[in-house]
Amino acid sequence: RMPYKKTNQTPQLIVTSMKKILVLSFYYQPDLCAGSFRCTALVEELAKTGASVHVITTFPNRYESFSVQANESEKKDNVSINRIIIPSHKSGMVDQIKAFYAFYRGAKKLAAVNDYDLTVATSSRLFTAFLGARISRKKQIPLYLDVRDLFVDTMSNILSSKIVWLARPFLLLIERYAFKSAKKINLVSKGFLPYFEERYSDIPVSFFTNGIDKEFIQASQVSDEKLSGKSIINVLYAGNVGEGQGLHKIIPFMAARLKDRIYFKVIGGGGLIQKLRDCVIELDLQNVEIVSPMDRENLIQEYVKTDILFLHLNDYEAFRKVLPSKLFEYAAMNKPILAGISGYSAEFAKSEISDCAVFLPTDSEDAVGKFESLSYSVEPREKFIQQFNRQKIMREMAQEIFELA
């Protein structure tokens, strides 16, 4: 966790004649995660519409092993940011409930003393959407939801059957309350559409997907280098290491099968990082390295140095609907991609991303076979990069939000 000084600052009323937009996000830069990068890019584009934007978020907390400084409040031109202090937490359910409750209380207090024309909530965590719904209903203003994950669907796959049996009815009520409160909903993945059509067909939806940030576009490299002649191929995974990724089910077994061929580097943290370490130790693997999360500048240098970029989602039904943001920044680097994904994301990768080998999640035999099928070359993906430029996508999304206010 980052160090901070608690202040007794009293929230001040924001008085302006411009359209006033409240943005709620549990993560925001300088935090390191997909939700943070997406929300920051959206706010930058909302600011360009001339609206007054008030962001309520938390202090950086995505990874316990990564600390970064951030101010409790910031103001730049027509954007103001307030960060809520939340308890130190790991990936456990109880810890996360406590952290969100602190965010919920702090955000409601800050929002109560301000007037807005619209609330925007970007949510992989269902309760950020619920918070947006509560504030919007209280203030009788429209709510725009950016849905990045089907929380109930995902939890039903990840949690034990007993917990699901107890929690699912409650979570479905929360979901229905939040989604039914929205005037418009954006779905990050078209794989979510059947779920929405079945339950919320009366709510208008958009599809502003994940995209590629300028830092990755600027770092894109194209060369004629061929990797087939290399004795050791470097494979990199960067991101969260949790139940959703299931890295402990695939990386150690791939590394064991290809002990003399590949060197795996994992950059990240999360609830199952120790489980991955234990698997590596148990199999006595010398070709797997695990390092802590790092800032984007250093991470991009790791992308540039590696030969193949690796992605994996656990073999759960819910993950057949998602579209991982990691696919976009990987594709921008013009490096071969080895991805253990299924469903919509697999279809997307096969149709949109060249030199991307897709294997069955958790299947190390299939992964090794697809590894052998890669061209091991650095190929330009100019069309993909142009189509999924984050700034372009967020500009169009910001305009839609502005017109709703």
Side-chain angles (χ1 to χ4, degrees):
R1 287 295 310 279
M2 64 132 260
Y4 61 81
K5 291 182 179 180
K6 186 171 181 177
T7 71
N8 295 318
Q9 181 183 24
T10 302
Q12 298 296 311
L13 181 66
I14 300 172
V15 181
T16 174
S17 59
M18 298 184 286
K19 284 187 178 181
K20 293 157 285 190
I21 299 175
L22 169 65
V23 177
L24 301 168
S25 179
F26 197 80
Y27 298 116
Y28 196 80
Q29 283 189 339
D31 221 339
L32 295 178
C33 64
S36 164
F37 303 140
R38 180 176 176 84
C39 188
T40 302
L42 175 60
V43 167
E44 288 173 355
E45 294 304 317
L46 279 173
K48 294 175 185 177
T49 67
S52 170
V53 184
H54 183 200
V55 179
I56 300 180
T57 185
T58 65
F59 279 94
N61 67 94
R62 183 64 181 90
Y63 295 113
E64 189 182 26
S65 56
F66 182 83
S67 297
V68 62
Q69 290 281 355
N71 297 320
E72 188 171 357
S73 61
E74 296 178 28
K75 180 80 169 71
K76 183 179 180 183
D77 300 325
N78 51 328
V79 177
S80 58
I81 302 169
N82 286 104
R83 293 185 174 88
I84 309 295
I85 297 168
I86 63 172
S88 179
H89 67 97
K90 295 185 180 179
S91 296
M93 186 62 67
V94 174
D95 275 0
Q96 292 196 46
I97 290 171
K98 289 178 180 177
F100 181 79
Y101 183 63
F103 175 56
Y104 179 87
R105 289 187 62 191
K108 283 195 71 177
K109 183 179 178 181
L110 282 165
V113 296
N114 290 286
D115 292 324
Y116 307 103
D117 297 301
L118 174 75
T119 301
V120 178
T122 177
S123 179
S124 64
R125 296 163 182 255
L126 176 62
F127 290 94
T128 304
F130 175 73
L131 171 63
R134 293 289 291 164
I135 290 173
S136 292
R137 289 198 181 206
K138 177 76 172 176
K139 293 183 174 294
Q140 297 183 317
I141 57 175
L143 170 65
Y144 187 103
L145 284 183
D146 181 37
V147 176
R148 297 183 289 109
D149 185 26
L150 297 177
F151 184 84
V152 178
D153 212 25
T154 301
M155 291 299 102
S156 296
N157 279 216
I158 290 177
L159 299 178
S160 70
S161 58
K162 184 180 289 187
I163 294 176
V164 170
W165 183 80
L166 290 170
R168 185 176 170 83
F170 170 71
L171 293 175
L172 284 170
L173 283 173
I174 295 295
E175 179 188 86
R176 184 171 181 82
Y177 177 88
F179 291 174
K180 284 287 189 179
S181 299
K183 189 170 183 180
K184 191 156 194 180
I185 292 179
N186 178 68
L187 304 179
V188 167
S189 169
K190 287 187 178 180
F192 296 162
L193 187 57
Y195 184 93
F196 269 79
E197 286 180 332
E198 182 181 341
R199 296 164 178 81
Y200 308 107
S201 59
D202 56 325
I203 305 172
V205 297
S206 295
F207 297 100
F208 295 109
T209 187
N210 286 307
I212 307 164
D213 290 313
K214 58 182 179 294
E215 294 91 340
F216 296 100
I217 295 174
Q218 291 166 356
S220 294
Q221 299 209 351
V222 179
S223 73
D224 294 327
E225 179 187 8
K226 297 290 182 182
L227 306 177
S228 54
K230 292 187 67 172
S231 57
I232 298 291
I233 304 295
N234 293 302
V235 181
L236 174 68
Y237 170 82
N240 192 48
V241 184
E243 186 64 33
Q245 292 71 39
L247 298 185
H248 60 287
K249 297 180 179 181
I250 187 69
I251 286 180
F253 304 102
M254 274 193 68
R257 284 171 172 266
L258 296 166
K259 190 172 288 188
D260 300 322
R261 297 275 312 281
I262 66 172
Y263 185 88
F264 254 112
K265 188 168 189 177
V266 177
I267 302 174
L272 294 187
I273 191 77
Q274 190 56 50
K275 193 164 188 175
L276 177 60
R277 288 195 181 103
D278 291 343
C279 290
V280 169
I281 292 169
E282 185 179 341
L283 294 173
D284 191 28
L285 298 171
Q286 304 302 311
N287 59 332
V288 179
E289 178 185 3
I290 303 172
V291 300
S292 296
M294 59 184 65
D295 61 37
R296 269 190 160 184
E297 184 178 347
N298 288 311
L299 180 61
I300 287 171
Q301 291 309 307
E302 294 289 341
Y303 283 2
V304 170
K305 289 189 294 185
T306 198
D307 300 321
I308 294 174
L309 293 162
F310 184 82
L311 175 68
H312 188 260
L313 292 178
N314 219 332
D315 189 20
Y316 293 143
E317 177 66 31
F319 296 152
R320 295 174 187 172
K321 303 180 182 76
V322 303
L323 184 58
S325 61
K326 190 65 61 178
L327 265 180
F328 294 86
E329 63 186 58
Y330 277 5
M333 301 308 297
N334 297 312
K335 297 286 182 84
I337 299 170
L338 185 60
I341 50 180
S342 59
Y344 178 73
S345 57
E347 293 170 10
F348 179 89
K350 290 173 183 176
S351 64
E352 300 289 345
I353 306 174
S354 60
D355 206 18
C356 178
V358 175
F359 65 91
L360 297 171
T362 74
D363 189 334
S364 60
E365 185 176 349
D366 190 35
V368 170
K370 295 300 168 55
F371 167 81
E372 303 287 4
S373 76
L374 286 166
S375 69
Y376 306 126
S377 63
V378 182
E379 298 181 359
R381 300 186 178 108
E382 294 173 1
K383 182 181 176 183
F384 183 89
I385 292 171
Q386 183 178 3
Q387 182 177 355
F388 294 102
N389 183 313
R390 171 105 76 185
Q391 187 176 26
K392 170 179 167 287
I393 293 169
M394 291 296 97
R395 184 182 302 125
E396 294 172 2
M397 185 174 173
Q399 190 59 43
E400 178 174 277
I401 291 170
F402 181 80
E403 291 171 0
L404 201 66

